[in-house]
């Protein structure tokens, strides 16, 4: 079989437009004219192999990348905790304790980004909501009320824009406890990848990062074994905090947080199953707002 026919046969097996280009290029002499040199032939063959897709008819899906899911990501997996006590207790006692320590309820965490605020304010007290921001908070409160869920608590960052947003939302959710938390304040959780030159956080990454990670560990975890019913918790905070929480909860690289965009007043909904599985039900949902009310500042 001639060299040209061999190349065309290989390309036909590989399939795809890239293979057709290879066959056409050779027919025009683009691969060179020294067809009798074996070393050159095999180097060209290697190029063709490298150009093939990662999948084949026998394996139609790409191989998974990254690490396997860590079910003990929140350090609350009862089987792992119980394994450390095997030497101290009998197997039957250990099995009974493990059953009693298993979470039975699902936690639903609704992360709300604060509404639009006064960007020209020099201090936190001056960075209050704009008139549009207050409208956005009203719309978010109406949306949360319309969902008809039994909310357990409404936690908010201690910064002015988040506090004001939370108080407006709470008017639509009578009886839901309001709790302020300094850990949820805005900051720079980790240096983003890819880096950006136009955005330089004022705080040092390792300082803000430790605080925001502490907030994640406090609020994002599976239910305690004592919790019998599914819970619904609202957290009103900031874009950077929410984006970092989402990456960490889904076990995505946390340095990718800046690749996510969130509208003001939007709803991000995480569910955490008793097994430790995490699902993202909505990310930055703002479909309940009219288009002229949407902002991301």
């Amino acid at each position: 079989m001639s060299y040209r026919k061999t190349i065309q046969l290989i390309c036909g097996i590989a399939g795809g437009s890239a293979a057709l280009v290879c066959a056409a290029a050779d027919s025009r002499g683009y691969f060179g004219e020294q067809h009798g040199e074996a070393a050159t032939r095999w180097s060209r063959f290697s190029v063709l192999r490298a150009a093939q897709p990662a999948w084949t008819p026998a394996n139609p899906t790409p191989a998974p990348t990254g690490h396997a899911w860590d079910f003990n990501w929140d350090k609350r997996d009862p089987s792992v905790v119980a394994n450390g006590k095997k030497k101290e207790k009998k197997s039957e006692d250990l099995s009974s304790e493990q059953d009693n320590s298993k979470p039975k309820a699902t936690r639903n965490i609704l992360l709300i980004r604060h509404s639009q605020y006064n960007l020209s304010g020099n201090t936190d007290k001056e960075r209050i909501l704009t008139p549009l921001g207050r409208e956005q908070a009203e719309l978010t409160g109406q949306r949360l009320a319309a969902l008809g869920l039994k909310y357990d608590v409404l936690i908010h960052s201690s910064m002015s824009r988040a506090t004001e947003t939370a108080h407006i939302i709470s008017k639509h959710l009578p009886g839901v406890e309001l709790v302020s938390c300094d850990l949820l304040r805005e900051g720079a959780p980790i240096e983003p990848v890819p880096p950006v030159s136009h955005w330089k956080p004022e705080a040092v990454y390792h300082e803000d990062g430790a605080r925001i990670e502490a907030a994640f560990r406090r609020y994002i975890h599976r239910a305690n074994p004592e919790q019998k019913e599914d819970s619904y918790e609202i957290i009103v905070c900031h874009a950077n905090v929410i984006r970092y929480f989402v990456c960490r909860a889904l076990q995505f690289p946390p340095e990718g947080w800046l690749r996510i965009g969130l509208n003001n007043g939007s709803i991000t909904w995480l569910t955490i199953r008793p097994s430790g599985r995490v699902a993202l039900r909505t990310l930055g949902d703002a479909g309940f707002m009219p288009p002229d009310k949407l902002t991301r500042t």
Side-chain angles (χ1 to χ4, degrees):
M1 184 182 294
S2 69
Y3 174 72
R4 181 175 291 114
K5 290 182 178 179
T6 301
I7 293 295
Q8 291 173 339
L9 176 61
I10 294 170
C11 292
I13 294 173
S17 59
L20 295 175
V21 171
C22 289
D26 182 61
S27 67
R28 297 178 185 177
Y30 294 160
F31 282 117
E33 300 301 329
Q34 304 299 322
H35 293 259
E37 298 180 9
T40 305
R41 285 201 303 270
W42 287 110
S43 65
R44 294 167 189 157
F45 180 64
S46 298
V47 171
L48 286 172
R49 290 185 61 188
Q52 293 181 29
W55 51 267
T56 64
N59 181 26
T61 58
T65 60
H67 302 287
W69 179 261
D70 177 13
F71 280 94
N72 194 33
W73 59 273
D74 59 351
K75 310 306 178 189
R76 293 170 182 248
D77 186 338
S79 62
V80 175
V81 174
N83 284 338
K85 303 179 181 179
K86 282 185 177 179
K87 295 181 181 179
E88 304 174 11
K89 297 192 176 184
K90 296 180 180 179
S91 59
E92 56 269 20
D93 294 338
L94 185 64
S95 176
S96 176
E97 180 178 338
Q98 185 173 331
D99 288 339
N100 293 333
S101 64
K102 285 183 178 179
K104 303 171 182 61
T106 295
R107 293 185 67 219
N108 294 270
I109 303 169
L110 290 85
L111 302 162
I112 313 298
R113 189 191 176 193
H114 61 77
S115 302
Q116 185 190 66
Y117 68 102
N118 174 28
L119 290 171
S120 61
N122 295 320
T123 64
D124 178 59
K125 290 184 178 180
E126 296 175 349
R127 293 169 183 166
I128 59 175
L129 299 186
T130 64
L132 174 57
R134 289 191 287 273
E135 287 186 63
Q136 292 170 339
E138 294 283 357
L139 290 167
T140 303
Q142 292 169 14
R143 173 58 175 169
L144 291 171
L147 291 175
L149 303 173
K150 182 182 177 182
Y151 300 108
D152 297 88
V153 66
L154 198 169
I155 307 164
H156 61 86
S157 158
S158 57
M159 298 187 82
S160 296
R161 54 190 182 270
T163 300
E164 189 177 358
T165 301
H167 279 270
I168 294 174
I169 289 174
S170 70
K171 295 189 302 181
H172 300 273
L173 307 173
V176 178
E177 181 186 8
L178 271 171
V179 177
S180 178
C181 179
D182 283 332
L183 291 179
L184 293 167
R185 295 172 69 87
E186 182 64 304
I190 188 174
E191 188 169 0
V193 176
V196 289
S197 58
H198 63 277
W199 187 78
K200 296 182 182 297
E202 298 176 1
V204 180
Y205 286 110
H206 71 267
E207 293 179 354
D208 276 1
R211 172 177 55 77
I212 296 172
E213 173 65 19
F216 174 82
R217 297 185 187 191
R218 174 177 291 187
Y219 296 114
I220 313 298
H221 56 77
R222 75 191 78 188
N224 293 324
E226 298 78 16
Q227 182 176 327
K228 305 303 180 184
E229 298 181 357
D230 293 353
S231 59
Y232 296 86
E233 303 165 42
I234 302 170
I235 299 178
V236 179
C237 55
H238 309 269
N240 295 355
V241 176
I242 295 172
R243 295 184 283 193
Y244 179 78
F245 279 10
V246 168
C247 289
R248 284 281 282 110
L250 297 179
Q251 299 186 26
F252 293 163
E255 61 271 18
W257 61 273
L258 197 54
R259 305 171 203 170
I260 302 172
L262 297 173
N263 286 325
N264 295 111
S266 61
I267 301 173
T268 295
W269 187 338
L270 287 170
T271 62
I272 306 176
R273 303 295 182 187
S275 64
R277 291 184 181 273
V278 180
L280 180 64
R281 294 191 60 173
T282 63
L283 176 64
D285 176 26
F288 51 87
M289 292 190 186
D292 61 337
K293 305 295 182 184
L294 296 174
T295 63
R296 288 172 54 186
T297 56

